Amino acid sequence: MSKKEEWRKLLENKIKKRKEYIKNVKELVEVASEAEEQNKEDEAKLFFVENMPESILAERGQPLFLFEQYDEEQLNTYLPGLSKINADARKYILTSGTTDSSAYAEIVETYRVSKEVLAPYTTTFTTLESKSIEEVSIVFSDLAKEKAKKENLPPRLNKINENLGDMFTIALQNYNKTKIGLGMVHQSAMDLRVVLQQLWGGLVALARKKDSAQTKRHRFEMAKQGDRIFIVECLIVEDVEKKKLISSLDILAKALLQFSDGDFGKNLLGDDKEKLNNLYNLWVLSINIANSIVPSIELQE
């Protein structure tokens, strides 16, 4: 092999190694947000273990304890020193914790539904223990609502604007990455803002279909309350639902304004994670428009 060929081979090998490294980093970042989502489930389970009466853990907990033991072994097998995502590791990360949390929630609900626990659950609880069971129930209820939102919202958003559900999912994933330090605040803010813009654009397009004569020449702006009200009048018939949607669009306009702040959402140096987290909560309230408006529109069709 000539010196030129050796030299070329050295450079090609370095380029190849770096490309492999970049690929592995991308895969690690991708599954890191999934791992953070699974932590939410395990934090709910931890709350369960810390707050449920000992008698319940002894009576019903052994199968779950054995599952968690096995899952910890899997975690220790795949995660420490993980340099790349192989097929088994990816399968574990993407599926771990997706089935067993419902078993925890079922146990909580079983003991929560009655003041006096009947056979075969003969244990009676103190007032403090009953309160703890209620608190654990709330934690799992919130977890279930968050999961349902991720499953139910995308198809409804797609009915408002094509591909909006996919944009919602991507923006949510990028926000979760940013929350654990694997993404940039300004980029996440832009992703969340675009979803709001496309949501408004979809509502305007739906209104134009409903009343093309009055909407054809008008340029609707979310920042104008009159425009927001007009869009609602085009889309909704029932008065109570109108008021709800007007209120939701007011929140949407407020969120978009804050996401568009020149010192934050459009600033490469705007690294205010606290503000991003606060605006995310406002974003979620805005996105929930889809849960109310799509059924209302479908009823009119």
Side-chain angles (χ1 to χ4, degrees):
M1 183 184 295
S2 69
K3 180 62 67 178
K4 180 177 180 179
E5 289 173 334
E6 287 184 28
W7 197 340
R8 178 178 57 79
K9 193 67 175 176
L10 284 172
L11 292 171
E12 286 176 346
N13 284 341
K14 287 203 295 179
I15 292 169
K16 181 181 178 182
K17 285 289 183 184
R18 289 198 189 97
K19 284 184 176 180
E20 289 175 355
Y21 169 75
I22 291 168
K23 179 177 179 291
N24 289 338
V25 168
K26 286 180 177 178
E27 289 184 335
L28 285 166
V29 169
E30 194 66 36
V31 297
S33 61
E34 296 292 339
E36 179 64 16
E37 288 299 299
Q38 290 159 17
N39 271 347
K40 291 180 182 178
E41 293 193 17
D42 279 347
E43 285 164 2
K45 296 174 193 174
L46 183 60
F47 194 80
F48 170 94
V49 172
E50 290 176 339
N51 290 277
M52 291 294 278
E54 288 278 357
S55 56
I56 294 180
L57 298 181
E59 186 177 11
R60 302 286 302 280
Q62 185 62 13
L64 292 176
F65 175 77
L66 292 175
F67 174 88
E68 299 302 348
Q69 259 192 334
Y70 171 76
D71 199 52
E72 186 192 24
E73 291 172 3
Q74 294 290 96
L75 188 74
N76 292 335
T77 297
Y78 291 122
L79 295 193
L82 194 63
S83 60
K84 70 175 183 177
I85 304 298
N86 58 39
D88 288 337
R90 177 176 288 278
K91 181 180 178 182
Y92 165 75
I93 293 168
L94 295 179
T95 60
S96 175
T98 57
T99 57
D100 60 299
S101 61
S102 60
Y104 283 82
E106 186 273 331
I107 291 175
V108 179
E109 186 62 17
T110 297
Y111 288 92
R112 191 190 70 82
V113 290
S114 61
K115 299 291 183 183
E116 296 293 331
V117 180
L118 305 177
Y121 312 113
T122 57
T123 308
T124 57
F125 300 116
T126 65
T127 302
L128 186 60
E129 286 176 330
S130 296
K131 182 180 178 182
S132 293
I133 292 172
E134 289 292 333
E135 290 173 348
V136 176
S137 174
I138 291 170
V139 168
F140 278 99
S141 175
D142 290 345
L143 182 64
K145 288 176 184 176
E146 187 171 346
K147 284 187 172 185
K149 176 185 67 182
K150 293 173 186 175
E151 293 172 2
N152 298 335
L153 267 177
R156 288 185 170 181
L157 288 168
N158 284 337
K159 290 185 178 182
I160 294 175
N161 202 343
E162 187 179 7
N163 298 324
L164 183 55
D166 298 328
M167 293 174 66
F168 162 82
T169 300
I170 292 170
L172 189 59
Q173 290 171 344
N174 289 342
Y175 167 75
N176 287 330
K177 290 174 187 175
T178 301
K179 197 166 62 169
I180 58 175
L182 296 174
M184 300 184 71
V185 169
H186 82 278
Q187 183 61 57
S188 179
M190 284 192 287
D191 293 339
L192 297 173
R193 183 174 69 247
V194 167
V195 172
L196 296 183
Q197 290 171 331
Q198 292 300 311
L199 176 58
W200 171 251
L203 294 176
V204 171
L206 289 173
R208 292 190 192 281
K209 289 181 181 178
K210 291 276 185 181
D211 192 346
S212 58
Q214 291 195 64
T215 60
K216 183 168 59 175
R217 296 184 179 179
H218 190 78
R219 182 178 180 274
F220 293 97
E221 297 181 28
M222 195 193 312
K224 294 181 179 179
Q225 187 181 41
D227 284 357
R228 298 198 297 271
I229 293 173
F230 187 88
I231 292 299
V232 172
E233 292 288 345
C234 289
L235 294 176
I236 305 295
V237 174
E238 209 272 323
D239 285 341
V240 173
E241 292 301 319
K242 280 183 183 179
K243 290 177 181 178
K244 287 181 182 178
L245 184 55
I246 289 171
S247 177
S248 296
L249 287 180
D250 289 344
I251 295 172
L252 183 63
K254 179 181 178 182
L256 187 62
L257 181 65
Q258 293 188 46
F259 271 117
S260 301
D261 186 343
D263 293 328
F264 174 63
K266 297 180 179 180
N267 185 355
L268 288 172
L269 302 179
D271 191 28
D272 191 340
K273 287 186 180 178
E274 183 177 355
K275 183 172 182 178
L276 179 66
N277 291 335
N278 290 335
L279 284 180
Y280 171 76
N281 295 329
L282 203 58
W283 183 78
V284 169
L285 289 174
S286 303
I287 292 300
N288 280 333
I289 287 174
N291 281 329
S292 58
I293 192 168
V294 170
S296 297
I297 293 172
E298 288 177 340
L299 283 174
Q300 298 173 41
E301 293 176 347

